[in-house]
Amino acid sequence: MKKKIYVPLAIDVLHSAHINLLKKASKYGYVIVGLLTDKAISEYKQIPMLSYQERFKIVSGLKLVNQIVEQDHWDYTINIKKYKPDYFLHGDDWKNGIQKTLRKKVIKTLKNIKSKLIEIPYTKNISSSEIKLKIEKAGINSENRISVLKRLINSKPIVKVLESHNSLTGLIIENTKLVKNKYINEFDAMWSSSLTDSATKGKPDNSSVDFSSRIISLNDMLDVTTKPLIFDADNGGQIEHISYLIRSLERSGVSAIIMEDKIGLKKNSLFLNQKGAKQDSISSFSKKIKKVVNSRKNSDFLAIARIESFILNKGVKDALKRANAYSKAGADAILIHSKEKNTKQIFSFAKEFKKSKYFKPMVAVPSTYSNVREKELIKNGFKIVIYANHLLRAAYPAMENAVKSILINGRSYELERKIIPISKIINLIKND
Ligand code: SPV
Ligand code: MG
């Protein structure tokens, strides 16, 4: 019987180094490719551009490959134990960096089943990540960008979203990455907040900044970034206009709309005084959700319903009734909003909603209960967390202090050490 060789691959961009690798593998025998799922990849780097199904099709067209199996964890040892290959092949680039620990674990597991590790030299000057960067620089198309959010929801424990109010904040979200516990930690998506977009324009969060203006702002951000964007549409406006709004958002490459179930003159939900603010009827808001669902051309564009029951001092019963109805109307996810300082309200809702046959992924906006950790949200069934206003809140005092410093000192010298050098700003914005 032919010997089996296992090759784990992500194949986001198929290139010549993969072919070299598979040619070497085929010399050892029957080639099994462990194709990494979106979930497995997102455990250690950004979600791939192509979906698993698309990547599967590409690999199945390669005559060097005898079998493809699903590699659903970044930890290869699970499949090694399952398929018991005689050989395991990997590029030698995993000896350093974040894959180092995994390599050690793999070596131990292979030893236990008397299999061998084959490491082949990393092909210099070619890497998927670099090719991906070049493609990203050339831009991402709207269709692809729309789908990324849904894929992230299906593959990550929680999707992390941060408010972006202009292109610069979009770039910060795009480019800031930390390595935490050997994993790359970064934000997955941007939130186009009605509050911060309005505040940036010096206007109140009462829909005085109309959708056309909001869409110009988000197009600026989408021009220079590749991550998905969620649009805060207040209550969606008039139902008769919704299909045009969805058309514009999809054309721009927005991944989701969030609509809140309020009517009347818009008031920000974090205002203590909600006098005059009214909640829409379940039937009327459900119609709006249906309208979004029927208007979208791309089924990966998500309709997210935001429930304001807690904001308007109604209880969990009202929130649940609405969640079930909105889910039935076609909402892909439910944002349960709260302006309490703790998570009691949203977790009591989550506990009940999880039992519902209409359960949908839940979204949290921890603006007032900011002490909650993401792991607690995950434990309570939340799939998206939106940090809704933090970049603007960080920028405002920094700018105000700069103004004060120049006014106090009659020069800008004292400020220099607190702000970034001009050279850094120049280099931050690429000119190519
Ligand atoms: C926003 O960021 O505009 C929101 C969230 O809608 S909140 O400010 O809490 O209403
Ligand atoms: Mg808003």
Side-chain angles (χ1 to χ4, degrees), residues 2-231:
K2 248 185 162 183
K3 299 246 184 212
K4 288 189 287 187
I5 177 156
Y6 190 93
V7 188
L9 288 175
I11 309 267
D12 196 8
V13 188
L14 182 66
H15 54 66
S16 56
H18 293 127
I19 303 298
N20 289 343
L21 197 114
L22 290 168
K23 266 190 187 155
K24 292 222 167 94
S26 66
K27 297 216 166 78
Y28 287 88
Y30 184 83
V31 177
I32 303 174
V33 165
L35 188 63
L36 275 80
T37 60
D38 285 359
K39 174 177 159 279
I41 295 170
S42 70
E43 282 173 27
Y44 72 104
K45 61 179 183 182
Q46 223 177 35
I47 195 166
M49 287 182 294
L50 300 180
S51 69
Y52 181 82
Q53 289 75 9
E54 286 167 301
R55 292 182 287 115
F56 189 96
K57 269 191 208 156
I58 292 170
V59 181
S60 55
L62 300 175
K63 63 175 193 271
L64 293 162
V65 177
N66 300 109
Q67 188 185 349
I68 308 171
V69 299
E70 191 177 275
Q71 173 76 54
D72 201 27
H73 299 272
W74 182 33
D75 181 350
Y76 305 133
T77 59
I78 298 162
N79 269 7
I80 292 176
K81 285 180 201 152
K82 184 168 171 191
Y83 295 102
K84 300 194 173 43
D86 302 283
Y87 303 100
F88 180 90
L89 187 139
H90 202 286
D92 68 354
D93 54 319
W94 71 335
K95 284 184 179 166
N96 300 308
I98 57 170
Q99 302 209 62
K100 205 168 141 185
T101 327
L102 176 60
R103 178 177 178 266
K104 278 191 191 146
K105 198 172 167 195
V106 166
I107 291 174
K108 215 171 139 193
T109 312
L110 289 171
K111 220 172 157 186
N112 287 343
I113 57 162
K114 300 196 170 51
S115 299
K116 260 175 102 174
L117 171 67
I118 315 284
E119 281 178 323
I120 65 159
Y122 175 68
T123 314
K124 288 204 178 72
N125 304 325
I126 183 149
S127 95
S128 302
S129 305
E130 272 165 33
I131 296 176
K132 209 173 146 186
L133 267 180
K134 279 189 197 156
I135 296 171
E136 278 171 4
K137 252 186 5 204
I140 180 169
N141 74 33
S142 308
E143 281 292 303
N144 281 349
R145 191 190 311 228
I146 289 175
S147 306
V148 175
L149 183 68
K150 191 173 181 179
R151 289 174 53 210
L152 284 165
I153 292 173
N154 291 333
S155 53
K156 295 204 104 176
I158 196 159
V159 176
K160 291 184 271 197
V161 186
L162 182 57
E163 167 264 324
S164 177
H165 53 270
N166 60 26
S167 300
L168 201 55
T169 52
L171 280 172
I172 292 171
I173 295 169
E174 181 85 5
N175 298 323
T176 310
K177 297 176 206 286
L178 293 177
V179 177
K180 187 180 166 193
N181 302 333
K182 306 213 162 56
Y183 291 102
I184 292 181
N185 194 10
E186 62 185 309
F187 276 94
D188 301 299
M190 298 176 279
W191 164 242
S192 164
S193 149
S194 67
L195 170 66
T196 67
D197 195 11
S198 307
T200 307
K201 293 174 170 62
K203 293 190 176 166
D205 183 17
N206 63 2
S207 296
S208 51
V209 178
D210 64 20
F211 284 146
S212 309
S213 174
R214 296 281 315 282
I215 288 171
I216 291 173
S217 310
L218 68 86
N219 274 330
D220 278 345
M221 298 188 252
L222 296 175
D223 274 350
V224 296
T225 58
T226 61
K227 291 188 176 179
L229 184 138
I230 301 176
F231 183 66

Side-chain angles (χ1 to χ4, degrees), residues 163 191-198 205 214 232-234 258 260 262 266-271 274 306 308 311 335 337-339 365-368 386-390:
E163 167 264 324
W191 164 242
S192 164
S193 149
S194 67
L195 170 66
T196 67
D197 195 11
S198 307
D205 183 17
R214 296 281 315 282
D232 168 9
D234 297 338
I258 298 192
E260 61 198 52
K262 265 186 175 164
K266 149 98 203 203
K267 213 175 207 180
N268 183 275
S269 302
L270 301 178
F271 273 132
Q274 290 289 322
R306 162 170 159 181
E308 294 281 297
I311 300 292
L335 189 165
H337 206 15
S338 166
K339 59 178 181 345
V365 182
S367 295
T368 52
I386 301 178
Y387 297 92
N389 43 47
H390 300 76

Side-chain angles (χ1 to χ4, degrees), residues 282 309-310 314-324 349:
I282 292 184
S309 304
F310 291 140
K314 293 189 190 163
V316 69
K317 236 172 127 182
D318 182 79
L320 268 172
K321 199 164 136 196
R322 287 171 176 275
N324 288 327
F349 168 86

